[in-house]
């Protein structure tokens, strides 16, 4: 059976015709909700004989609240684009009535009166002009301010990083008593998170800024105890540059400074009205799920963000999805576009099993791309999330608001296939998997992270990230065949593959990691991980590191290729730890330096102004072997086709084949089309 939805339709019609009939008495329905309700009625009356295709004709379908599907909607139904047309699920309102004036006596400015804002019924934080995100007016215009001091900050900032503060002293000239100061937001950065905190007040004499709440983390920035970087956003007095805008809630006025080629009659301006567009909500208590719904070839756009989900935390994991699932089984989001929004793109929350998120393009998002996770090991069985497929998605230009969000975040979730995704242009980790710190029992296991292409992440804004970030005990988890490069930290921790606290029993093989801000591989602490048949090349601070050495085997690292242009291959806090602990097993590897310097291992020294760790207490390859490592490894040119241009195809006579190394095939890395 086919049901049709059209912007030319009528919800009083049958929906059985793709176009209105000649006499205007029947045709397509006008909304997805009406198509859903027709199917509900068919199911209740016993007339349902699925599967059903719900065809959406081209055009914008405006929603002021999320389209909601419940367990009673479970059926093999596919909501999809009519052939050759482009339906858009759209959560914004078009701003059209403009007057033209000047700001500060110079800049040409469009001004719109919005009664709903003045009446307190609508407050939006994003603006999209001709399909492009525009910047709320902010100071400074580029770069960052830095706090002059934080009066309540305790000593030893790293060890007290969870003790937040709500006051700081601004440097001379950075801060003023601006208009509507309680609508202004501080955006500050420390370690691996950003924080957005509204301003409460500013004292011009003392230069003390008081925030509306305490920060989640202590107001310091790095190992050196520097005070944080920050900018301030949504400032009327900052309106000066084309593309900037400001919303005055008290007056209900929107101010926008256009680019020279923009005029009201050739410009579409959309402000988002809702934060989410689609919800699938099962009832976990009664074990009634939403099942068998597919959404294909649709565009979801123009949704807002807010701070209702609490203060910032790692990976922005409290931020929901524009498309949200809870208690969903065997549903799919396929070949859709999700863009111009403020949250994560797709969220699979508690009780999501057997779903597919494949072939989508997710970009220009306030948070990350895809997020999944259910109950932890102590939660109810019905809240467990696992066995989902996340493949062939293109995720880029995300983290525009919540900078610490990930391309793909898998928290408490098992048995997932996360493969063939292309992830780039974001400020934190590409893929993050696991959500237990230390060696406690974890739900996150048996995940396959395979053939993903991850590059150009971090952008030097945050610290402590990985192209692929892993956490906790994860037996059965495999990280295989991924290509990762250009992971750029701010202060420390721009790693390719990062096994963080307690990461254990993980197989890492056939990956290529190169040109990272720190090491290509870093293990904080964990046990019995295996690294084999990987290529680790040109880590700025070496190729492999182990931070905390314990009494058990941390990892086995064999049949890998290590390429350096100077920095030591292995790192820890000191070389002495390698001598004393001996809790890594390293052998049958190939080492090569493209420079004249070949150093086997070194210890971390001090952090430089440029954010590069210095090296101390190094040992050469002979000394490294005397310490019991890499007895059968070789130092030789691996004979790559073009290593200077990062072509890692091996020539047939490469000496690494004698160690059992296998050529890594990257022809199918990333989306398969």
């Amino acid at each position: 059976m086919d049901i049709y939805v059209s912007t030319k339709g009528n919800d009083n019609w049958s929906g059985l015709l793709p176009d209105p009939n000649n006499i205007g008495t029947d045709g397509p329905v006008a909304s997805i909700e009406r198509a859903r309700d027709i199917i509900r009625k068919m199911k209740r009356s016993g007339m349902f004989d699925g599967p059903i295709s719900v065809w959406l004709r081209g055009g914008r379908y405006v929603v002021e609240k999320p389209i909601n599907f419940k367990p009673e909607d479970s059926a093999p139904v596919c909501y999809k684009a009519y052939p050759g047309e482009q339906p858009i699920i759209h959560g914004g309102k078009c701003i059209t009535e403009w007057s033209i004036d000047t700001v500060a006596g110079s800049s040409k400015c469009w001004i719109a009166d919005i009664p709903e804002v003045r009446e307190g019924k609508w407050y939006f934080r994003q603006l999209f002009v001709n399909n492009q995100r525009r910047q709320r007016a902010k100071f400074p215009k580029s770069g960052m301010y830095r706090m002059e001091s934080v009066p309540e900050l305790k000593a030893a900032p790293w060890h007290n990083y969870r003790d937040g503060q709500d006051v700081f002293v601004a440097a001379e000239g950075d801060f003023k008593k601006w208009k509507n100061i309680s609508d202004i937001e501080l955006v500050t950065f420390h370690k691996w998170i950003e924080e957005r905190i509204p301003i409460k007040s500013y004292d011009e004499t003392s230069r003390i800024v008081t925030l509306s709440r305490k920060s989640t983390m202590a107001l310091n920035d790095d190992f050196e105890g520097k005070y944080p970087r920050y900018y301030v956003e949504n400032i009327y007095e900052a309106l000066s540059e084309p593309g900037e805008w400001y919303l005055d809630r008290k007056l209900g006025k929107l101010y926008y400074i256009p680019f020279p080629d923009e005029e009201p009659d050739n410009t579409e301006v959309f402000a988002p009205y809702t934060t989410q567009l689609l919800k699938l909500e099962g009832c976990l208590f009664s074990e009634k799920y939403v099942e068998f719904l597919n959404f294909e070839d649709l565009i979801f756009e123009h949704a807002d963000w807010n701070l209702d989900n609490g203060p910032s935390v790692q990976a922005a994991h409290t931020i929901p999805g524009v498309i949200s699932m809870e208690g969903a089984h065997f549903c799919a989001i396929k070949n859709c576009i999700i863009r111009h929004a403020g949250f994560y793109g797709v969220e699979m929350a508690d009780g999501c099993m057997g779903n597919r998120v494949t072939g989508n393009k997710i970009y220009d998002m306030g948070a990350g791309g895809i997020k999944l996770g259910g109950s932890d090991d102590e939660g109810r069985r019905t809240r467990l999330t696992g066995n989902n497929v996340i493949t062939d998605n293109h995720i880029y230009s995300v983290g525009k608001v919540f900078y610490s969000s990930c391309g793909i975040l898998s928290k408490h979730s098992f048995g997932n296939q996360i493969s063939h995704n292309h992830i780039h242009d974001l400020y934190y980790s590409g893929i993050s998997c696991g959500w237990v710190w230390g060696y406690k029992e974890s739900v996150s296991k048996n995940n396959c992270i395979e053939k993903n292409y991850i590059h150009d992440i971090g952008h030097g804004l945050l610290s402590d990230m990985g192209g692929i970030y892993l956490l906790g005990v994860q037996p059965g988890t495999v990280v295989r065949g991924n290509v990762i490069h250009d992971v750029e930290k701010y202060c420390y921790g721009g790693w390719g593959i990062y096994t963080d606290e307690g990461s254990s029993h993980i197989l890492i093989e056939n990956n290529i990691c190169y040109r990272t801000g720190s090491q290509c591989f870093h293990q904080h602490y964990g046990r019995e991980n295996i690294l084999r048949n990987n290529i680790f090349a040109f880590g700025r601070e070496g190729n492999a590191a182990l931070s905390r050495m314990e009494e058990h085997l941390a990892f086995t690292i064999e049949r890998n290729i290590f390429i350096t242009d100077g920095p030591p291959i292995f790192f820890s806090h000191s070389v002495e730890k390698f001598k004393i602990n001996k809790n890594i097993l390293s052998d049958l590897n190939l080492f090569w330096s493209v420079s004249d310097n070949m150093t086997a291992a070194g210890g971390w020294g001090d952090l430089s102004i440029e954010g590069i760790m210095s090296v101390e207490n190094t040992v050469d390859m002979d000394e490294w072997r005397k310490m019991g490592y890499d007895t059968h490894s070789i130092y030789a040119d691996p004979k790559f086709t073009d290593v200077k241009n990062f072509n890692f195809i091996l020539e047939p006579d490469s000496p690494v084949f004698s160690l059992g190394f296998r050529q890594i095939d990257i022809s199918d890395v990333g989306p398969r089309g």
Side-chain angles (χ1 to χ4, degrees), residues 246-296:
Y246 171 77
L247 182 64
D248 190 318
R249 285 206 286 179
K250 292 180 180 179
L251 299 178
K253 291 187 180 295
L254 170 64
Y255 300 82
Y256 174 66
I257 299 181
F259 283 94
D261 60 344
E262 292 176 343
E263 296 294 340
D265 59 355
N266 69 4
T267 305
E268 281 190 325
V269 180
F270 286 102
Y273 198 82
T274 181
T275 57
Q276 296 176 287
L277 300 176
L278 178 65
K279 281 189 172 183
L280 279 58
E281 293 183 301
C283 181
L284 298 175
F285 182 78
S286 60
E287 298 189 43
K288 294 181 179 178
Y289 304 101
V290 181
E291 297 181 314
F292 309 119
L293 298 182
N294 286 4
F295 300 85
E296 296 185 13

Side-chain angles (χ1 to χ4, degrees), residues 22 132 163-164 240 242 287 311 335 373 402 414 423 429 442 497 610 628-629 632 640 667:
N22 292 333
Q132 294 182 337
D163 297 333
S240 62
E287 298 189 43
N335 298 338
F402 302 99
F414 60 88
I423 301 170
S429 297
S442 173
I497 297 175
E610 294 80 14
Y629 301 107
H632 304 96
F640 288 121
S667 62

Side-chain angles (χ1 to χ4, degrees), residues 58 112 120 170 172 176 184 190 254 280 408 478 507 591 622 630 645:
E172 184 73 41
K176 290 181 174 60
I184 296 172
H190 30 215
L254 170 64
L280 279 58
I408 297 174
V478 177
L507 174 60
F591 303 100
D622 290 338
D630 287 292
N645 290 306

Side-chain angles (χ1 to χ4, degrees), residues 27-43:
V29 296
S31 67
I32 298 171
E33 292 92 334
R34 179 56 183 156
R36 175 202 64 193
D37 293 345
I38 290 172
I39 297 169
R40 280 183 183 176
K41 184 176 180 181
M42 292 171 60
K43 289 184 64 182

Side-chain angles (χ1 to χ4, degrees), residues 91-389:
K93 291 188 177 183
C94 191
I95 311 296
T96 57
E97 300 296 325
W98 297 100
S99 62
I100 299 177
D101 205 336
T102 58
V103 175
S106 58
S107 297
K108 177 183 176 182
C109 185
W110 299 356
I111 304 172
D113 185 70
I114 308 176
E116 284 181 278
V117 172
R118 185 169 55 252
E119 295 163 6
K121 298 177 181 178
W122 185 22
Y123 178 45
F124 52 89
R125 294 175 170 85
Q126 296 177 119
L127 196 71
F128 301 97
V129 180
N130 289 341
N131 278 321
Q132 294 182 337
R133 178 183 297 267
R134 294 296 192 236
Q135 173 65 52
R136 286 203 295 183
K138 72 182 186 76
F139 284 133
K141 295 297 182 183
S142 61
M144 299 275 184
Y145 294 142
R146 192 177 288 276
M147 297 176 188
E148 183 175 285
S149 64
V150 180
E152 297 179 1
L153 187 66
K154 297 178 182 179
W158 179 257
H159 297 289
N160 293 301
Y161 71 91
R162 295 192 185 279
D163 297 333
Q165 292 79 40
D166 58 4
V167 295
F168 70 90
V169 178
E172 184 73 41
D174 287 353
F175 223 92
K176 290 181 174 60
K177 207 162 189 176
W178 294 299
K179 177 182 178 182
N180 297 337
I181 198 162
S182 61
D183 281 350
I184 296 172
E185 289 178 1
L186 173 89
V187 184
T188 186
F189 304 86
H190 30 215
K191 303 187 175 64
W192 54 87
I193 70 168
E194 87 293 326
E195 296 210 49
R196 288 182 171 268
I197 308 176
I199 303 296
K200 184 178 180 180
S201 64
Y202 174 62
D203 185 288
E204 292 180 293
T205 303
S206 63
R207 291 186 274 113
I208 288 179
V209 180
T210 302
L211 308 177
S212 64
R213 63 167 176 83
K214 286 195 172 185
S215 58
T216 303
M217 295 175 67
L219 291 177
N220 60 75
D221 206 15
D222 56 28
F223 286 117
E224 302 296 298
K226 295 177 183 176
Y227 297 114
R229 302 153 292 154
Y230 73 94
Y231 64 86
V232 274
E233 189 174 71
N234 200 34
I235 304 170
Y236 173 77
E237 291 85 348
L239 275 169
S240 62
E241 304 297 323
E244 292 183 333
W245 65 279
Y246 171 77
L247 182 64
D248 190 318
R249 285 206 286 179
K250 292 180 180 179
L251 299 178
K253 291 187 180 295
L254 170 64
Y255 300 82
Y256 174 66
I257 299 181
F259 283 94
D261 60 344
E262 292 176 343
E263 296 294 340
D265 59 355
N266 69 4
T267 305
E268 281 190 325
V269 180
F270 286 102
Y273 198 82
T274 181
T275 57
Q276 296 176 287
L277 300 176
L278 178 65
K279 281 189 172 183
L280 279 58
E281 293 183 301
C283 181
L284 298 175
F285 182 78
S286 60
E287 298 189 43
K288 294 181 179 178
Y289 304 101
V290 181
E291 297 181 314
F292 309 119
L293 298 182
N294 286 4
F295 300 85
E296 296 185 13
D297 302 308
L298 308 176
I299 295 176
F300 297 86
E301 71 175 11
H302 296 155
D304 211 357
W305 61 271
N306 55 42
L307 297 173
D308 295 350
N309 299 282
S312 298
V313 283
Q314 182 167 327
H317 73 91
T318 61
I319 302 302
V322 173
I323 298 174
S324 174
M325 306 183 200
E326 182 175 89
H329 286 190
F330 316 119
C331 296
I333 309 295
K334 182 180 178 182
N335 298 338
C336 292
I337 294 173
I338 306 165
R339 65 188 183 191
H340 309 324
F343 286 163
Y344 270 90
V346 179
E347 175 186 21
M348 286 176 276
D350 292 7
C352 287
M353 293 279 194
N355 302 294
R356 302 177 69 87
V357 180
T358 62
N360 302 286
K361 182 184 289 187
I362 303 173
Y363 66 95
D364 189 32
M365 304 298 295
I370 300 168
K371 168 189 162 188
L372 69 160
S375 168
D376 62 15
D377 183 61
E378 298 178 353
R380 294 181 58 204
R381 179 184 60 82
T382 57
R383 305 193 79 88
L384 292 172
T385 290
N387 300 326
N388 299 290
V389 175

Side-chain angles (χ1 to χ4, degrees), residues 47 101 111 177 185 217 357 370 486 492 518 546 614 621 625:
M47 297 175 60
D101 205 336
I111 304 172
K177 207 162 189 176
E185 289 178 1
M217 295 175 67
V357 180
I370 300 168
D486 291 283
Y492 75 96
S518 297
L546 176 61
S614 62
M621 290 303 301
R625 287 193 174 99

